Amino acid sequence: WSLKIDIKNNDSLLGLSEFSIVQHRTREYPYSLLVTKNLSRMNVHAPKYSTAEIILNGQEWGLMQIEEAFSNSFLEKRQLKKKPIYKLSNEDDLILGWKYFENGLKGLENHSINENQLNTLSKWLGKFEIKALNAKSNFVTDNNLLSKDPLSLSLLKDQNFIESLLYKANLNQSENFNEIRESFEMQKISDAITSAIIWGEQHYHSIEPHNSRFYLDPFDKLIQIFPNDHAHTFILDVNKENIINQFNRMPNLYRILFFNSNIQKNIKLSIKKFKKNLPFIKVDFKNICDEDKISCKKKIKFICKSYDPNRCREVYYLDEIKDNIKFLEENYFEIFNDKNLEKKSIEITSEN
């Protein structure tokens, strides 16, 4: 968990008006730093990290990681117009699941709900709702709408557009697929998922609905993805069957975007871009080592594939990356394919 800081009076600290203070291990330092630096080279926007010594109300917390927040300054630093940044979920499904399993861990009985009921409720909870993260940009109010304020009307139009795409994705009707795919900046989508696979993120943690953010560019009217919270690296079993199964456990929107033969040319370019950046990733880790000898030891990482205690081993991070790149080069055509969507998705209709 983290401590959110919001600087008042349009002031800033370390060039940030909003940020979170987190423990390094919760963001899997130094890999979170390596991933975001590489995403930046691939022209995908993600929060930046730094380290600072924290003293809170006279209490020394030691060295902590500073994580940039999704705010107006986040957009300004990347020369993006000040507009809402959306989360495509209100996390009700996640919260319900946490409460259920937390009670189970505490040995408490769940008298009001069983696991089958939990799965039924979670099927649609949080799947249609969106949430604006940088509230300072969200000027949509009842009073503004009544007065027909142009900015509010424009923001409401954007919000309705994104909600309509989410609704159509959840209907899962093939006649809507092209419209949905053409509404996203597919190269950035491709770069984000390629990065998550190559870094071996379990469940593609940084692009899951409760982690990733989305931004509707006012100029080209395409939706960009901002991946976030790059953790659980090198845990994913990078094989064809597992990747397809992982995609199929994600919401319909993601499956429609990924199981898409038209994205194959984007994936090919994403792999090429990542591969070209390998020398820079190596330099990034060297620079971290020069400053932090303890983190330097994490070049050799002890991992357990799929968190299976029987499949634990030590890996050299660069070897693991190269193996994953090689696999993706050889198999991306069969993974990112419309046929997998047809075989794996469950048809949902508005009547249901």
Side-chain angles (χ1 to χ4, degrees):
W1 301 105
S2 60
L3 176 65
K4 176 73 183 297
I5 305 294
D6 190 349
I7 308 296
K8 294 182 177 180
N9 303 322
N10 294 321
D11 208 345
S12 65
L13 183 65
L14 302 174
L16 304 172
S17 61
E18 297 178 45
F19 58 89
S20 295
I21 300 173
V22 299
Q23 291 180 320
H24 286 80
R25 64 181 178 83
T26 62
R27 290 296 185 263
E28 210 166 287
Y29 183 82
Y31 288 99
S32 54
L33 191 58
L34 295 171
V35 174
T36 53
K37 279 179 175 288
N38 194 54
L39 282 171
S40 180
R41 295 187 191 101
M42 298 173 76
N43 198 31
V44 176
H45 304 303
K48 292 186 177 180
Y49 297 92
S50 58
T51 296
E53 185 175 355
I54 304 299
I55 301 175
L56 184 67
N57 296 332
Q59 185 179 29
E60 294 186 8
W61 284 18
L63 293 177
M64 302 286 287
Q65 195 163 29
I66 305 299
E67 180 180 74
E68 183 181 18
F70 289 104
S71 63
N72 293 335
S73 64
F74 175 92
L75 297 173
E76 291 166 3
K77 287 174 179 294
R78 291 156 180 83
Q79 299 183 324
L80 297 172
K81 189 174 176 61
K82 188 168 66 174
K83 299 275 280 186
I85 300 171
Y86 297 104
K87 178 188 288 189
L88 301 189
S89 172
N90 62 2
E91 297 192 356
D92 278 357
D93 55 335
L94 197 66
I95 293 169
L96 179 65
W98 279 342
K99 286 182 178 178
Y100 179 83
F101 289 108
E102 185 181 56
N103 284 348
L105 290 172
K106 290 178 180 177
L108 302 177
E109 292 186 15
N110 292 279
H111 297 290
S112 59
I113 186 174
N114 59 42
E115 191 162 351
N116 287 334
Q117 291 169 327
L118 170 70
N119 292 333
T120 300
L121 288 172
S122 298
K123 183 176 182 179
W124 295 120
L125 275 175
K127 302 299 188 296
F128 291 92
E129 298 81 6
I130 68 173
K131 180 180 178 182
L133 272 297
N134 50 333
K136 294 176 183 177
S137 286
N138 195 1
F139 299 110
V140 180
T141 66
D142 290 340
N143 288 336
N144 286 347
L145 291 176
L146 287 172
S147 65
K148 296 185 178 181
D149 174 70
L151 177 58
S152 290
L153 291 173
S154 174
L155 293 176
L156 182 62
K157 184 179 179 182
D158 290 349
Q159 182 173 314
N160 288 341
F161 171 65
I162 295 175
E163 286 178 338
S164 72
L165 291 176
L166 203 55
Y167 178 78
K168 289 174 182 177
N170 283 315
L171 290 180
N172 202 30
Q173 295 171 343
S174 58
E175 59 264 30
N176 295 322
F177 291 175
N178 284 339
E179 179 190 354
I180 293 167
R181 291 162 177 168
E182 289 170 0
S183 299
F184 284 81
E185 218 294 6
M186 291 305 297
Q187 189 56 55
K188 292 185 186 295
I189 295 288
S190 169
D191 291 343
I193 185 58
T194 298
S195 173
I197 292 173
I198 292 175
W199 286 102
E201 290 182 19
Q202 181 74 345
H203 304 318
Y204 314 117
H205 191 72
S206 63
I207 61 172
E208 286 191 298
H210 57 281
N211 287 327
S212 58
R213 309 292 188 263
F214 294 85
Y215 171 82
L216 178 59
D217 192 300
F219 300 107
D220 61 18
K221 293 298 180 182
L222 294 176
I223 301 170
Q224 298 185 25
I225 188 171
F226 297 159
N228 179 47
D229 192 359
H230 311 272
H232 309 286
T233 52
F234 305 133
I235 300 298
L236 174 72
D237 253 334
V238 180
N239 62 64
K240 188 165 59 177
E241 182 181 3
N242 193 41
I243 292 174
I244 291 172
N245 287 340
Q246 295 273 9
F247 285 165
N248 272 310
R249 61 171 287 279
M250 302 183 83
N252 280 357
L253 175 65
Y254 291 82
R255 296 206 297 259
I256 292 167
L257 294 176
F258 298 153
F259 291 137
N260 169 15
S261 299
N262 290 329
I263 201 178
Q264 291 170 358
K265 61 182 182 298
N266 303 104
I267 297 293
K268 183 177 181 180
L269 178 58
S270 297
I271 297 169
K272 183 178 180 181
K273 288 161 69 175
F274 198 112
K275 199 171 181 178
K276 184 179 179 181
N277 288 339
L278 284 177
F280 299 110
I281 294 172
K282 198 171 181 179
V283 170
D284 288 341
F285 216 139
K286 181 183 181 304
N287 291 337
I288 291 171
C289 285
D290 289 343
E291 296 180 8
D292 185 351
K293 299 300 182 185
I294 295 176
S295 289
C296 188
K297 295 178 181 178
K298 294 184 179 179
K299 284 184 177 182
I300 307 296
K301 189 173 182 182
F302 185 76
I303 62 169
C304 299
K305 289 293 183 181
S306 300
Y307 295 108
D308 183 348
N310 296 315
R311 302 180 59 216
C312 298
R313 60 189 175 90
E314 287 188 339
V315 300
Y316 174 54
Y317 81 102
L318 211 52
D319 288 343
E320 193 77 2
I321 287 174
K322 289 176 180 177
D323 287 346
N324 292 345
I325 289 176
K326 184 175 185 295
F327 169 83
L328 206 51
E329 283 178 320
E330 295 172 351
N331 294 279
Y332 75 89
F333 189 83
E334 295 180 53
I335 294 168
F336 296 91
N337 196 303
D338 291 294
K339 293 179 181 179
N340 294 320
L341 178 63
E342 294 169 1
K343 288 188 294 185
K344 295 287 184 179
S345 293
I346 300 172
E347 191 69 21
I348 304 296
T349 69
S350 54
E351 294 177 359
N352 298 130

